[in-house]
Every structure is written in C-alpha cells, then in structure tokens.
Amino acid sequence: ALFAAAGVAVMYLVSKINYQTLRILAIPMLVVSIVLLVLALTPLGVEINQVKRWLNLFLVAGPTYQPSEIAKVTVIIFFAARLSKRDTEKHKKYTNRTLTGRTLNRLERVGFLELLPYGAVLGVVLLLVVFEPHMSGTILIMVGAASVLFAAGINLGWFVAAGSLAVGGLTLIIFATDYMTNRIKLWLNPWEDPQGLGFQTIQSLIAIGSGGLTGRGLGNSIQKVLYIPEPENDFVFPIVVEELGFIGGAIVLVLFSMLILRGYWLALHARDKFGTLVVVGITTLLAVQVFLNVGVVTNLIPNTGISLPFFSYGGTALMIHLAEMGVVLSVSRQCPAPKKD
C-alpha cells in the first residue's frame, strides 16, 4: 500500500512534467540504466534463486529492484527521441567512385546504416540482461524496442530478419541451459512431474477452474495457502480468478484491454511523433506483459517469468509501472483538442 501510494504520487508528478524533457534526458537515462545493469552483475548485485538480476535501493541495504525494469523504459525513450527526428534527417551520400562508397550507398538505401546505432545500443543492453540471466526481461526489452522501430516506419524486412535471428538465438539459449529446457518440458506436459516441475502450473489451473463463475469470495482462496508457490508474484492472476471467479477475471482483462486501447488511441492523437513513439512503446510493453503472464498461468505458453502489471508483488516495479502511466498522461495532456464541425 505504501509503494502504491508513493507510485500514484510519482505518476501525478511525472504527468505534470512536459514529456519533451525526456528528449534531453534520453541519453543520460540510458547510460544510467546500463551502469545499473553492469552493477547487478558485480558483487553489489543481489542473488535470488541462483540468478543475479537485483540491486539494493541506492546500492545499500533495503528494498531490491531489477535494473532491467528501468532499462525497458529508457530504451523506449532513447529510441523514440532519435527516431522522432527521422523524417527531418537527410540521407548520407557517399562517392560512387570507390567500391566502399558504392557499398555504403547501397547499405544506406536499404536502411542498414540507419539501424546500426539502435542495434548497438540494444545489443549492449540485451547482452547484460542475458548474462543475469533474465529471459523475460530480454523478451520485453526486444518487444519495446521493436514496437518503437515499427511505429517509426522502419522497413518490415528488417523485422523479419531480426525476428528470425532472435528466434534462433532464443532457441540456442533454451537448449543450452537446463533452466530453460526444463521450462519447455514443463509447458508440454506439466502432469509428467505433478509434485515437482509441473506442480505450480497444475495448481494454477486448479485455482482458475475452482473459481467457477463468481469465485470463492475475496480473500478466500485455498490455493494461495501453501499450494501455489509464491502466489503473489507471477501466479497472482489464478488467485484473482479463484476468489472473484470467471466474471472477476474477465473484468480484470477487460480493464487491461481498455487501458491498452486508450494508450494506442493517445498515440494516434499525440501532439508530435516523439509522443506517439513513447506511448506506443509503453503501451505495447504493457500489452505484451499482460498477454504473456496470463498465457503462462493458463499454460497457453511456456513459463517466461513475466509478472502481471499492477498486480504482482514488487514495490519498485509497481512504482515504475505507475511512472510509465505518468508519462502517458503527460503526452495525453498535450493532445490537440478535437476540431469542432
């Protein structure tokens, strides 16, 4: 409750700040987030469940947070700040008298040279997140960056090529690590090991099914009492459905859908391209997190370890989500008034 109250205050303050300020802060914010990702891999990082992806608040004892949560937003803002100038920048021209010049001109025409700085930044951030290891963070950072690039008008061919490489890379990582391989086996058949790897998924499905139409009542979940491991984290949605039923779960999903649709509406009506790209990135990030979390707890997709925004436990994560909404509200405040007939 304290973090929620602080988060709402942060959201309000951020909404009052002119979002154009983020253009100036884009590079410093990105540098800070990269430094924090590096620190998480050092002895200053906090190890939980055999992975080092956390830092203590202000690098001293206290609440922990994941630097990757900050990196997700800063990558979106950095990409949006640079890509918002894309239409006004002139394409570079090189001499056709040399092979190097002709090659560079061809690369410029297909957009390869334009993508180089974005690929370099994204590569550094993703590399640090993969080393933690943090597969869900890797997926979300890639999705957020890709959504901004797509909205900016980057050629679709590059998405096909990058998507193929990403799928290939993720496949290699999955089969090279026992941790990820076990998650795939768990997804395919959780009942193969009902008291081991499949326990959490099976109990999640039981919780969702036992909620019925109207649920057991708020606070009356049985599965959260020593059945579903850590029900306050990634598997909080089954508890919501168990207590509030199909109707309650549907209302939660409808509210998320309304928020996501409103975000895209604001992106279409933003004052400038920078505002559009920032809102597209933040809204897409929210939409993908909701889809992946609900997909995992219903065993639609393999376990990704992605939390449910605004529901899953984590004070700093909640504050960051609310700060993101503050940015969206800041863009909304400057949307042009609708024209009267």
Side-chain angles (χ1 to χ4, degrees), residues 6-159:
V8 170
V10 169
M11 179 178 68
Y12 177 77
L13 292 174
V14 172
S15 72
K16 289 293 187 178
I17 298 173
N18 189 332
Y19 70 91
Q20 298 295 336
T21 307
L22 296 175
R23 286 179 185 265
I24 304 169
L25 298 176
I27 293 178
M29 288 169 63
L30 179 67
V31 172
V32 169
S33 66
I34 291 175
V35 170
L36 292 175
L37 286 172
V38 172
L39 290 176
L41 298 174
T42 68
L44 292 173
V46 178
E47 185 173 327
I48 302 176
N49 295 331
Q50 299 179 338
V51 291
K52 292 185 70 172
R53 62 178 72 151
W54 290 269
L55 283 174
N56 286 118
L57 196 62
F58 304 118
L59 302 179
V60 296
T64 59
Y65 65 96
Q66 296 186 36
S68 57
E69 291 287 338
I70 300 172
K72 286 186 293 189
V73 185
T74 56
V75 166
I76 287 172
I77 292 173
F78 174 76
F79 276 35
R82 284 188 58 91
L83 288 166
S84 61
K85 305 174 185 177
R86 183 171 182 258
D87 297 335
T88 59
E89 291 179 343
K90 294 182 179 180
H91 290 287
K92 295 179 180 179
K93 292 184 178 180
Y94 303 91
T95 178
N96 283 319
R97 296 178 181 178
T98 63
L99 177 61
T100 302
R102 290 192 294 272
T103 302
L104 289 174
N105 279 328
R106 291 193 189 97
L107 293 175
E108 180 68 26
R109 281 196 297 272
V110 299
F112 179 78
L113 296 183
E114 179 188 17
L115 289 174
L116 274 180
Y118 304 106
V121 169
L122 190 59
V124 170
V125 174
L126 291 179
L127 190 64
L128 292 170
V129 176
V130 167
F131 276 145
E132 290 181 350
H134 192 4
M135 187 55 61
S136 59
T138 303
I139 294 170
L140 291 175
I141 290 171
M142 284 195 296
V143 167
S147 66
V148 177
L149 289 168
F150 177 80
I154 298 298
N155 192 301
L156 287 176
W158 289 112
F159 290 96

Side-chain angles (χ1 to χ4, degrees), residues 158-181:
W158 289 112
F159 290 96
V160 174
S164 301
L165 287 173
V167 170
L170 288 173
T171 302
L172 287 174
I173 292 171
I174 288 171
F175 287 106
T177 57
D178 293 335
Y179 176 72
M180 295 303 300
T181 303

